[in-house]
Amino acid sequence: RPGGALKLLHPQTGEATTLVDPGPEGVVRDPDVHFDGRRILFSMRTVRDENYSIYEVEVAPERGHAVVPGSLRRLTNEPEASDIDPCYLPDGRIVFSSTREPKYCHCNMHIMANLYRMDGDGANIHQIGKSTLFEGHASLLPDGRILYYRWEYVDRNYGDAEGLWTVNPDGTN
């Protein structure tokens, strides 16, 4: 549904501060806070028929995590694909899911995504996953591996078709 902004919840007061407003037709999803607490990655689209791109914004903890003016930047911009679920890696790169190599769920033709990696500035995008369906919701394990869920269509119902997988940031193992 449209209208989802990136907000900061203040637990002591219960108040929420809007950090990024995508507009009345836009949606922000998948936030990931950098290790230093000064940057936030997220996926966003500003209109309903637009694909998602990955953005980053800088915040100032010393100013109540207010957005640093002019710091919002778009890291991906692939008009024919959606880039979602970004996650910071310790070496400065970012892992994310993308529909750049489209695949479709066999039962309803819903588009699926695979894992990709890019530099922190959005350059050098490289596919690291090659599932036949969906790889997403990446998070970082303490040893540096990426934990993600992978949907495999192997004659099971949809509820338990997503298993947890791990991969090294370079796509090995």
Side-chain angles (χ1 to χ4, degrees):
R1 293 185 188 164
L6 178 64
K7 296 185 178 190
L8 174 67
L9 175 66
H10 304 277
Q12 298 85 0
T13 64
E15 293 180 37
T17 302
T18 298
L19 300 177
V20 176
D21 184 353
E25 289 293 311
V27 175
V28 171
R29 55 176 278 179
D30 316 318
D32 187 59
V33 178
H34 190 270
F35 307 103
D36 65 10
R38 295 181 135 336
R39 291 179 281 157
I40 303 170
L41 280 174
F42 54 93
S43 304
M44 181 172 69
R45 68 179 184 197
T46 56
V47 294
R48 181 175 288 244
D49 294 332
E50 179 180 60
N51 284 311
Y52 285 95
S53 293
I54 295 175
Y55 290 79
E56 183 179 56
V57 69
E58 186 178 346
V59 295
E62 63 279 359
R63 294 186 315 142
H65 293 88
V67 170
V68 174
S71 68
L72 178 65
R73 63 187 184 131
R74 188 178 201 165
L75 299 179
T76 65
N77 186 12
E78 178 58 49
E80 301 301 317
S82 279
D83 297 328
I84 57 173
D85 293 336
C87 177
Y88 286 110
L89 296 173
D91 65 1
R93 291 181 291 178
I94 296 164
V95 64
F96 64 101
S97 295
S98 180
T99 62
R100 290 166 186 257
E101 182 185 60
K103 296 151 174 54
Y104 297 90
C105 176
H106 307 309
C107 60
N108 67 9
M109 295 306 289
H110 183 80
I111 194 163
M112 298 289 172
N114 280 145
L115 287 180
Y116 286 74
R117 182 192 69 228
M118 66 180 167
D119 293 345
D121 62 0
N124 298 316
I125 293 174
H126 176 74
Q127 186 172 357
I128 62 173
K130 273 294 214 189
S131 170
T132 57
L133 287 175
F134 186 81
E135 301 169 329
H137 304 293
S139 60
L140 193 62
L141 291 170
D143 65 3
R145 289 178 300 148
I146 299 164
L147 176 72
Y148 64 99
Y149 85 66
R150 181 172 170 163
W151 182 9
E152 294 184 315
Y153 202 60
V154 288
D155 298 325
R156 296 183 289 184
N157 70 28
Y158 75 91
D160 41 297
E162 292 114 11
L164 291 175
W165 288 62
T166 61
V167 66
N168 290 326
D170 65 0
T172 60
N173 292 332

